[in-house]
Amino acid sequence: MTTPPYQPGYPQPGYPQGVSDKSKIIAGILGILLGTFGAGRFYTGHTKIAVLQLVVSVVTCGFGALWGVIDGILILVNGGTDAQGRPLRDS
């Protein structure tokens, strides 16, 4: 038996279904501007990481905000995923 050819619109086995409705540009900008509060991660649905970013920023008296800035830049450059594992859309 052979594998059927790729058909657009149908999910492929082992891959998340489609592209996220969240924008990587918005997630990146939120990460850069409001990374102290974990806003970029809250936006994408990664609440555990967002809360951790917030706690680290509070415990380190704001120095942990650097994590959010770097995270936002990485999302803009490399893209990212939402909480369901789907890639963020480009626009």
Side-chain angles (χ1 to χ4, degrees):
M1 187 163 273
T2 62
T3 305
Y6 172 73
Q7 296 177 359
Y10 292 96
Q12 295 298 310
Y15 291 98
Q17 189 173 11
V19 177
S20 176
D21 58 339
K22 306 290 184 187
S23 169
K24 83 172 185 180
I25 295 171
I26 293 175
I29 291 173
L30 284 172
I32 291 170
L33 298 178
L34 299 171
T36 305
F37 308 109
R41 291 298 183 163
F42 276 121
Y43 173 73
T44 59
H46 296 105
T47 54
K48 290 179 184 178
I49 296 173
V51 170
L52 189 60
Q53 282 181 331
L54 179 61
V55 169
V56 167
S57 294
V58 169
V59 169
T60 61
C61 299
F63 288 111
L66 187 60
W67 179 11
V69 172
I70 293 170
D71 193 32
I73 292 169
L74 288 175
I75 288 174
L76 285 174
V77 172
N78 297 331
T81 61
D82 64 5
Q84 288 77 34
R86 300 175 298 182
L88 299 175
R89 63 183 167 87
D90 288 329
S91 57

